[in-house]
Amino acid sequence: MLTVQKPINLGTTLIEQGLLRNDQLNTALSLQRQSGLLLGRVLVDAGYVSEEQIAQAIAKQLEIPFVDLRRFDVQPDTVKHLNELQARRFHAVILEERVDSYFVGLVDPTDLRSQDELAVVLKRPLDLAVITNEQLIATIDRIYRKTEQIGAFAREVEREIGEYDNVVDLGTMGRAINDADAPIVKLLQTIFDDAARVNASDIHFEPQEHALVVRFRIDGVLHVQVEADPRITSALIVRLKLMAHLDIAERRLPQDGRITVKSGDSRFDIRMSSMPTQFGESIVLRLLRQDAVRQTLEEILPPQVYMGFERAIRAPHGIVLVTGPTGSGKTTTLYAALEILNQPSVKILTCEDPVEYRITGVNQVQINEKIDLSFSRVLRSLLRQDPDIMLVGEIRDDETADIAVRAAMTGHMVLSTLHTNDALSTPLRLIDMHVPGYMIAATVRAVMSQRLLRLNCSYCAQDHVLPANERAWLSHYASESEISLGRFRKCRGCSRCNGVGYSGRRGVFELLEITPPLSEALQNSDAVTFNRLGREQLGGRTVARHAAEMVLAGLTTVTEAMAIAE
């Protein structure tokens, strides 16, 4: 530990270093006696020297370093070895944590008492440096912000309000309601618990003439769960409408609402849709499990596709489109892309119908056609919100396509979806939507087409010999040598997969990056050349080829691959 053996004479030191004249020192001493301030403060206030000159003079006299905190990389975690009160009391800031000491900046390194107390607090020897008081105060104000205290107050308010103030807890509801409604709530609780267990994405309540049919959509396929007495339909629908804050008296028009449900250990954000049918209102609940771990983009995409897609979304401006039928995982892919792009320095705005998952740090807008809050109208407003990146849930019409393309041309990155069969047909679909070819050529960075493929159940999969028709289909996408080496599997169905033979899904993809030759073809609206060049670039790396590779690996069946690839 470096200590100063005796206090230095500041005035004499400044004179010796040519920073102060004798007459200035005499004037300052006179002012000091009148004000009672420290000599250094008097000299600075009088304009004779600066704080930095005083600090540098002291450092030179004591042969210790001077540190300019404006240019020093101060680490908050290191600084906070002293709390804010101690830092202000000792006029000190910890600059570095060394092997067996701390490198500490002090405004007054001649204050031996403060040094000794500081060493006791830190329980280590000190290596000293000189800093200015002005820079110390600025550093303390920056490092010891009130963020943690504000966060603590916010959490306390949350506890006061109640963490689940707007969440329907079916277990609690079942104990609190009257006897007449208890069976309905218990039924709903059982349905939600069962849906959580089998990882259903949707619950369908379908009133028929002689029964209320409840079906779950599991891995993209509907399965009947129960056929109940139709007399419970009305009471069940009323209870669901109350939970979603819908109009229970309106039975002639479709309605949409949201419910947040806590059932056991599971929590769902549910999108509810009601539709009048011949025998009553049909209800569909889309279940979005909030405690589910969302996959990263790298986990979703195969390596080659991931590299190209990430390159496209990290471009400073342009459009990246994800295509495929409803339920093919397009939104999941775009959300994973947003997770990569979501940084404090970037403003991201989305317009979606619906907002499926809430992403911290992203400003999300729910489309509502009933009040004319359409994609095109929201998009026009989003451009006035100074975004860097925009996500458009779907390009549905000519106006939305035009606004999205113009946004990309004015320096924005736009992510969106489109309903097309493959990547190659997507830019041509934009031309059909009356977007000029030169604008598509200038803005579209990449198009990715995707499908979701059901995977074989790992518990009941068995070796399978391909029949002639399956082998013939597979030969279009794989060589004979690949087929001869392939391991084909098929499932008989078991209790783990509810007798279906499939469990879980995985995406299959094709990525078309818009290269200069493709861009030139688009600019000339030359569909023939574009298709030829596009097929050459894909080189057989299509959705169907990706599905065939999964068949060869025994992950799925030819039947499933044929269903999603045709």
Side-chain angles (χ1 to χ4, degrees):
M1 172 179 172
L2 184 148
T3 57
V4 181
Q5 298 301 318
K6 59 180 181 179
I8 65 170
N9 188 313
L10 179 59
T12 303
T13 299
L14 292 171
I15 291 174
E16 289 175 351
Q17 295 185 19
L19 298 172
L20 190 68
R21 300 194 308 269
N22 281 315
D23 61 316
Q24 290 175 326
L25 176 58
N26 292 331
T27 303
L29 289 170
S30 177
L31 292 171
Q32 183 194 24
R33 285 192 292 269
Q34 296 173 17
S35 65
L37 297 174
L38 294 174
L39 178 60
R41 173 49 50 198
V42 173
L43 290 171
V44 171
D45 290 345
Y48 295 149
V49 290
S50 66
E51 271 197 50
E52 192 168 327
Q53 286 176 320
I54 292 175
Q56 288 175 338
I58 294 173
K60 186 175 181 180
Q61 183 71 21
L62 298 180
E63 298 181 348
I64 60 175
F66 164 75
V67 173
D68 186 344
L69 292 178
R70 294 170 300 184
R71 297 174 175 81
F72 191 88
D73 185 18
V74 178
Q75 298 297 319
D77 290 342
T78 303
V79 172
K80 288 181 180 178
H81 284 297
L82 286 178
N83 61 41
E84 182 179 359
L85 183 61
Q86 291 167 333
R88 294 188 187 276
R89 175 189 166 197
F90 295 121
H91 301 285
V93 61
I94 302 176
L95 303 173
E96 289 178 5
E97 184 175 2
R98 296 177 173 173
V99 177
D100 55 1
S101 65
Y102 283 111
F103 182 40
V104 179
L106 293 170
V107 173
D108 184 5
T110 65
D111 186 345
L112 303 182
R113 182 174 178 179
S114 290
Q115 290 178 42
D116 290 339
E117 290 184 28
L118 190 55
V120 171
V121 169
L122 294 174
K123 300 178 182 177
R124 282 195 194 179
L126 308 181
D127 299 327
L128 303 183
V130 185
I131 57 176
T132 67
N133 188 65
E134 181 183 9
Q135 292 176 18
L136 171 71
I137 298 301
T139 301
I140 289 175
D141 289 343
R142 175 169 59 88
I143 297 295
Y144 298 97
R145 292 175 60 191
K146 302 299 182 184
T147 308
E148 293 180 5
Q149 188 176 350
I150 292 170
F153 287 148
R155 288 189 291 273
E156 187 175 339
V157 172
E158 288 171 7
R159 287 193 294 272
E160 290 286 338
I161 295 174
E163 185 180 357
Y164 299 114
D165 191 47
N166 295 314
V167 178
V168 178
D169 188 331
L170 293 172
T172 303
M173 181 185 289
R175 294 188 295 270
I177 61 176
N178 58 45
D179 293 340
D181 283 343
I184 295 296
V185 173
K186 288 177 181 177
L187 172 62
L188 286 174
Q189 184 172 5
T190 303
I191 290 172
F192 284 124
D193 287 344
D194 196 34
R197 186 182 64 82
V198 298
N199 201 27
S201 61
D202 301 83
I203 303 174
H204 293 240
F205 297 92
E206 300 170 335
Q208 304 295 326
E209 184 176 5
H210 301 295
L212 171 66
V213 179
V214 181
R215 298 197 288 175
F216 290 173
R217 187 176 294 278
I218 305 169
D219 293 335
V221 178
L222 282 170
H223 302 274
V224 175
Q225 299 302 304
V226 66
E227 294 187 7
D229 191 314
R231 289 177 296 179
I232 73 169
T233 302
S234 178
L236 186 69
I237 290 173
V238 167
R239 173 54 60 185
L240 286 169
K241 282 186 171 183
L242 287 171
M243 291 165 62
H245 304 290
L246 300 181
D247 184 357
I248 62 173
E250 180 56 74
R251 301 178 182 178
R252 300 167 299 169
L253 297 174
Q255 295 188 70
D256 295 299
R258 295 186 82 103
I259 314 169
T260 301
V261 168
K262 180 176 180 292
S263 180
D265 295 330
S266 300
R267 185 174 175 179
F268 298 96
D269 192 6
I270 298 173
R271 187 177 84 236
M272 175 174 164
S273 171
S274 72
M275 176 72 67
T277 65
Q278 185 179 6
F279 298 109
E281 290 178 274
S282 172
I283 303 290
V284 177
L285 305 178
R286 167 61 58 89
L287 309 181
L288 303 170
R289 195 165 182 166
Q290 296 303 306
D291 55 359
V293 177
R294 292 201 291 270
Q295 288 183 297
T296 65
L297 193 63
E298 195 168 5
E299 292 170 333
I300 293 171
L301 303 179
Q304 191 170 14
V305 173
Y306 171 77
M307 290 173 60
F309 190 75
E310 187 194 28
R311 184 165 53 244
I313 64 173
R314 288 192 183 278
H317 54 81
I319 296 181
V320 175
L321 295 169
V322 179
T323 75
T326 301
S328 59
K330 301 186 296 294
T331 301
T332 300
T333 299
L334 288 180
Y335 277 17
L338 288 187
E339 293 286 358
I340 289 179
L341 300 173
N342 189 12
Q343 302 292 333
S345 59
V346 175
K347 175 138 186 178
I348 301 176
L349 294 170
T350 77
C351 52
E352 306 170 64
D353 185 17
V355 175
E356 293 196 6
Y357 292 102
R358 296 172 176 87
I359 305 176
T360 303
V362 175
N363 301 276
Q364 298 171 272
V365 179
Q366 168 75 53
I367 297 302
N368 189 343
E369 298 285 357
K370 294 179 183 176
I371 58 172
D372 196 28
L373 192 65
S374 62
F375 277 110
S376 56
R377 184 169 186 176
V378 171
L379 261 178
R380 285 193 293 269
S381 297
L382 288 189
L383 291 172
R384 295 192 287 272
Q385 288 283 311
D386 188 28
D388 297 296
I389 298 168
M390 295 191 297
L391 185 149
V392 183
E394 182 184 345
I395 295 179
R396 294 179 177 175
D397 52 45
D398 296 9
E399 186 179 8
T400 304
D402 182 67
I403 297 171
V405 169
R406 292 185 185 280
M409 292 193 74
T410 54
H412 303 87
M413 171 52 67
V414 180
L415 308 178
S416 189
T417 70
L418 203 61
H419 286 286
T420 57
N421 291 328
D422 54 31
L424 268 177
S425 62
T426 302
L428 303 179
R429 173 75 180 108
L430 290 176
I431 292 176
D432 290 341
M433 298 174 84
H434 304 102
V435 179
Y438 73 90
M439 294 178 67
I440 301 171
T443 56
V444 177
R445 297 281 181 177
V447 180
M448 186 168 70
S449 181
Q450 68 178 74
R451 304 286 190 279
L452 287 178
L453 195 67
R454 288 190 295 172
L455 301 177
N456 286 330
C457 173
S458 59
Y459 292 95
C460 60
Q462 298 175 328
D463 289 338
H464 172 62
V465 178
L466 292 182
N469 64 324
E470 292 185 357
R471 191 178 185 93
W473 180 88
L474 194 58
S475 65
H476 288 292
Y477 305 102
S479 65
E480 283 300 320
S481 60
E482 288 177 315
I483 295 174
S484 63
L485 294 172
R487 185 189 182 191
F488 304 106
R489 311 274 284 172
K490 198 167 186 177
C491 301
R492 65 180 187 277
C494 64
S495 60
R496 298 292 188 106
C497 60
N498 296 308
V500 177
Y502 297 99
S503 180
R505 291 189 290 178
R506 184 179 296 178
V508 287
F509 307 88
E510 64 183 34
L511 178 69
L512 181 69
E513 295 185 77
I514 305 302
T515 58
L518 288 172
S519 181
E520 184 178 351
L522 285 171
Q523 193 163 353
N524 297 327
S525 298
D526 187 349
V528 175
T529 302
F530 179 82
N531 281 324
R532 177 177 58 79
L533 294 174
R535 283 192 295 270
E536 290 175 2
Q537 188 201 119
L538 287 171
R541 296 186 300 275
T542 62
V543 163
R545 168 60 189 180
H546 193 180
E549 289 174 355
M550 294 179 66
V551 172
L552 293 169
L555 296 174
T556 190
T557 63
V558 173
T559 304
E560 181 69 8
M562 290 172 67
I564 65 100
E566 294 298 339

